[in-house]
Amino acid sequence: MEKRIVVVTGGTRGVGAGIARAFAGTGARVVACARRPPRVPVHGVEFAPLDLRDPPAVRAFFAALPRLDVLVNNAGGAPYRRLADADAERHARVIELNLVTPLTASLAAYEQLRRTRGAVVMIGSVSGSRPSPGSAAYGAAKAGLENLARSMAVEWAPEVRVNTLVVGMVRTELSRLHYGGDDGIAAVSRTVPLGRLAAPSDVGAAAVFLASDAAAYISGASLLVHGGGERPEFLDAATVNREGVR
């Protein structure tokens, strides 16, 4: 039986590497594409240089694949930047990376996926469904990505399934830039009901599930991978129903 081929955009580090590693563990042929090669190669994962902001290059990349079974649109991210601290053009680049490039890749991959009755997994974020101060353009893009996936799931059914993983906080090699050192990471972890940040492997396992036959009737869905979410602050601020408070 021919190996399934999985493409993971931004699959060279962090969450993307965790996703690529999880699919490689299923025996699939996994191709991770990014602008730069990984500092540490992921075992069993091929690297392909690709700038997702270059639509002709993206179309050529997918056209050259012998087949495609799964596309994971993971590439994205944004630095901390308040809205008034940058011009609209800079914020627009964040939206391009996190919303337009997944659309570009999905359109380029469509014919291949249609032939294999494949699946698209969008990597969304909890930032798309709550206020995202300091990363508002990123949050807006992720909100758009989730809606795009739902529309895509309807238009491309029944040949192609499309779903979104709505990911919460993940512990990666860049966590210190977002949360500080070990003390900061530990403090942030305590705000998560499950008591820890996600590992990239947690996101990878969820992506493998959504792309598998076990999820054959799941399309247009959003799967929350956030450890139970965030404890509402008002519970700690309220002076009733607290132990020791009368």
Side-chain angles (χ1 to χ4, degrees), residues 9 26 32 46 49 54 63 81 127 140 146 153 159 178 192 195-197 201 210-211 235 240:
T9 69
T26 70
E46 304 172 29
D54 183 350
R81 182 181 295 123
S127 294
E146 198 170 346
E159 292 87 2
H178 300 285
V192 180
R196 65 175 177 87
L197 305 187
S201 59
L210 281 182
L235 293 175
V240 295

Side-chain angles (χ1 to χ4, degrees), residues 26 31 38 40 53 55 57 75 110 115 117-118 127 145 190 217 234:
T26 70
V31 181
V40 180
R53 291 187 172 110
Y110 171 66
R115 286 194 288 270
R117 299 184 73 87
S127 294
L145 184 67
R190 288 193 291 271
Y217 199 65
F234 79 85

Side-chain angles (χ1 to χ4, degrees), residues 199-212:
S201 59
D202 294 316
V203 185
V208 167
F209 163 69
L210 281 182
S212 73

Side-chain angles (χ1 to χ4, degrees), residues 117-119 153 157-163 209-222:
R117 299 184 73 87
E159 292 87 2
V160 181
R161 293 187 302 108
V162 185
N163 292 291
F209 163 69
L210 281 182
S212 73
D213 290 342
Y217 199 65
I218 300 175
S219 194
S222 297

Side-chain angles (χ1 to χ4, degrees), residues 7-20 31-36 38 42 45 47-48 50 52 71-76 97 101 123 173:
V7 169
V8 182
T9 69
T12 58
R13 66 179 185 181
V15 171
I19 294 169
V31 181
C33 55
R35 287 187 298 168
R36 291 179 291 273
V42 179
V45 176
F47 169 71
L50 182 65
L52 292 162
L71 168 63
V72 182
N73 282 307
N74 166 77
L97 175 62
T101 62
I123 303 303
E173 60 267 38

